[in-house]
Amino acid sequence: GALMIDRSEMDTGEFSLSQLDLPPEATSSGVRIDAAALSDTGHVRAQNEDHYFVARVGRHVTTMITNIPSGDVPSQFGETGYLMVVADGMGGRAGGEVASRLAIATLINITLHVPDWILRLDDEHAQKLMERTAARLRQVHDTLKEKARLDPRLTGMGTTMTAAFSLGQLSNPYARARTNCASCRAKVS
């Protein structure tokens, strides 16, 4: 017999049943960026204390085999975003190079451990993304402090960090954001 589903008993959490009848529009997949990066020691320092990270992130589905009629589910679907991070080790401070590298690596690794990435932004999700970002930056700060505590040579190490991301259509006011960690410094008293 046919499978009977009582739609009134379906719990979809954040989506209404009418939203689930059709596949979503892949709003971000039309956004493309060109990226280039270069870091230089400059004229003052002998060692480069800056690091950068640029990545394309997303969730993607490609239908391999199905007997569901064309149009009920997409053959391909993708939500794509871009993440750009620059950390500038605080020149002349102990461990500026370590701080900038560790800050970016920690931020990326924290993000990779999050099971539900936010790739579509509206009022609710934009607020949640900003809260997560603030929490991640606190974790980065705590990681730098712990590293400096464990290695006295790094006491006082610091970095600035700027992160920018692009999600969705450019007409969406939430599609672009930037955050600054003006001074991620690890001082151990």
Side-chain angles (χ1 to χ4, degrees), residues 92-129:
R93 299 222 176 251
E97 183 275 333
V98 173
S100 63
R101 179 177 42 84
L102 183 60
I104 292 177
T106 300
L107 179 65
I108 300 308
N109 288 325
I110 291 168
T111 302
L112 292 174
H113 283 281
V114 175
D116 61 333
W117 290 5
I118 298 172
L119 293 172
R120 289 176 165 247
L121 295 178
D122 54 21
D123 287 334
E124 175 189 346
H125 290 98
Q127 179 63 36
K128 188 173 186 177
L129 184 60

Side-chain angles (χ1 to χ4, degrees), residues 6 12 15 28 39 54 60 69 76 79 87 90 108 146 148:
D6 182 358
T12 60
F15 302 106
S28 66
S39 185
V54 178
H60 306 277
Q76 288 196 336
E79 290 290 352
M90 296 172 99
I108 300 308
E146 180 63 11

Side-chain angles (χ1 to χ4, degrees), residues 39-85:
S39 185
D40 190 275
T41 57
H43 298 288
V44 178
R45 312 250 178 264
Q47 182 176 340
N48 191 349
E49 297 181 348
D50 308 337
H51 287 89
Y52 54 83
F53 179 87
V54 178
R56 180 175 45 240
V57 299
R59 66 180 182 147
H60 306 277
V61 173
T62 300
T63 302
M64 294 173 58
I65 302 172
T66 186
N67 66 351
I68 297 174
S70 176
D72 285 359
V73 294
S75 61
Q76 288 196 336
F77 178 85
E79 290 290 352
T80 303
Y82 297 92
L83 172 64
M84 295 147 275
V85 184

Side-chain angles (χ1 to χ4, degrees), residues 3 26 81 135-136 168 179:
L3 178 64
R136 289 174 186 154
T179 184

